[in-house]
Amino acid sequence: MDKIIKIENLHFTYPGDEIPTLCGIDLEIERGSFVAVLGHNGSGKSTLAKLLNAILLPSDGKVTVSGIDTADKERTLELRRTVGLVFQNPDNQIVANLVEDDVAFAPENLGVEPEEIRRRVDDALKTVGMYEYRMHAPHLLSGGQKQRVAIAGILAMQPDCIVLDEPTAMLDPIGRREVVSTVSRLCREKGITVLLITHHMSECVDADRLIVLSEGKVVADGVPSDVFADADLLWSEGLSVPATTKLLYELNKSGINVPLTAIKTDDCATAVVNALNLVK
Amino acid sequence: MLKDVTLGQYFPGDTAAHRLDPRTKLVGVLIFIIALFSAVNWISYGIMLAVTIACIAISKISIKTITKGLKPLVVIIILTGLLNLFYTQGDVLISFWVITITKQGLKRALFMTSRIILLICGTFLLTYTTSPVALTSGLERLLKPLSKIKVPVHEMSMMMSMALRFIPTLIEETDKIMSAQKARGADFETGSLAQRAKALLPLLVPLFVSSFRRADELAVAMESRCYHGGSGRTAMKRLKMGSIDYLAFTLGFIMMFGVIALAYFGL
Ligand SMILES: Nc1ncnc2c1ncn2[C@@H]1O[C@H](COP(=O)(O)OP(=O)(O)OP(=O)(O)O)[C@@H](O)[C@H]1O
Ligand SMILES: [Mg+2]
């Protein structure tokens, strides 16, 4: 299948730092897939995100998105239109005092015609379910709503890929659910490639693929159920596992045979019921 | 307490005052200020007052909002009034101890204070009825000729719009830090002026630090959204002058020349 992101032997060191932040990352991400990225604090997740749209440039190696080399200065604008970044703090990425003006910011920068901008803004706001709030002041919205406005602001560029850097870290559970369901809908319905960087294990369960970063290296990469099945590795990386994995793991340890890969709540319940029936 | 600050705030609405082109309003305020500083007698001040009241009425901004905006400046207004009242030479009206009040002083104090109040009302009406984005794009268009002589007009107006955007955020944050410090026993309300100023220090330091972090994140977010300066930028909301704008201009110029004429002929 078509690979939208290609990362080859990527190394990155912040200027003035001794220790490299990223050392030797090789990744290929398929177009239209939903990929979650996990890693403890300081493992280099945000750095990786910023390398994808040329906010940072590789110290060594190569990053290509939709065939555009991020080091190609001539095509930086085209690259940034293709891959949109959503950040953790919604307050620091909203640029206007009116929701619709904020969403219009990126297409205005790209020099899109006014009528077309209007259309894109309305479309984007409808997609994230914030159309009724278009005339509101962003600072009066809830965290989840602000973050959805930020996503709409990216959608208005009509990107192929959206990278979200811990978009739910500052939100309550309701806001978190709003954002994650919006993002996964974008992926499933619009075919937009999603790279979700997160600290919440539950948000990784629905992903097509899970990548675990540690000390600037990829330490695990695969289908979430397989990655989580290796709970020892995640624990040794200072990460937790979903509650379902933990339960299955403990059951296994006490001699009840259940598959560790049943990480979705329904699957886990079924697995446990089956196991209990067997025991009886 | 800080939530009351209305400086630079925008109150969305759909009145004629809101619908005016931002350029009309900006030039209108300029005309208003010129007229205000040309006013020298009772009739011209009466006209200015009537115009201000009419504008407030049209914009449907509540009197309470206006007075709230005036509140932080009360000290300056009173001080100006008193200085003019006591330090103007002329025909003595009242005189006791070291204080003398003259007829001219009284008149001047009244004129000066009304001038300041009307000036504040006029400029506040501009920000109350114009969204910051409209305001800055209006300003940018008006000042565009200056970019020919290398004045960074776009950058300046972008900075202004970001400043206006972050006023509510920073106020919210100040409130939060204040509450946090109060909970740990900080006292911002009592003590001498020096003591209170000192109590503000632990408030300013975190605010300062976080502003820099915000600025950094904002810059990255703007770049990620393809911001690359003013070249090749378009605007979703195109500025358009309508009949209502021409009407406003006509009325504004009549007011200005009327007031100047009144001063010139010494009526
Ligand atoms: N602007 C910078 N200059 C120098 N070093 C930096 C800079 N930003 C991050 N670092 C360092 O790079 C390392 C990786 O940081 P990064 O922000 O990518 O981690 P992260 O995985 O996103 O962590 P978190 O979960 O806390 O967001 C850290 O050790 C950090 O101190
Ligand atoms: Mg990070």
Side-chain angles (χ1 to χ4, degrees), chain A residues 9-52:
Chain A
N9 190 31
L10 172 65
H11 289 258
F12 183 82
T13 313
Y14 278 100
D17 269 12
E18 312 257 297
I19 315 147
T21 302
L22 297 180
C23 30
I25 292 191
D26 283 289
L27 276 178
E28 288 196 334
I29 296 196
E30 289 189 1
R31 193 177 283 278
S33 61
F34 184 160
V35 180
V37 180
L38 275 179
H40 58 77
N41 290 116
S43 55
K45 306 182 296 294
S46 302
T47 309
L48 180 65
K50 287 179 190 158
L51 278 154
L52 291 175

Side-chain angles (χ1 to χ4, degrees), chain A residues 227-245:
Chain A
V227 175
F228 284 130
D230 193 355
D232 288 321
L233 172 85
L234 289 166
W235 279 321
S236 74
E237 291 302 337
L239 294 167
S240 64
V241 293
T244 45
T245 308

Side-chain angles (χ1 to χ4, degrees), chain A residues 91-92 94 102 109 112, chain B residues 165 214 225 233-234 237:
Chain A
D91 282 322
N92 297 350
I94 288 176
D102 183 73
N109 288 333
V112 177
Chain B
R165 147 75 186 86
R214 277 183 198 285
R225 285 165 77 183
R233 251 191 133 229
T234 49
K237 293 173 183 166

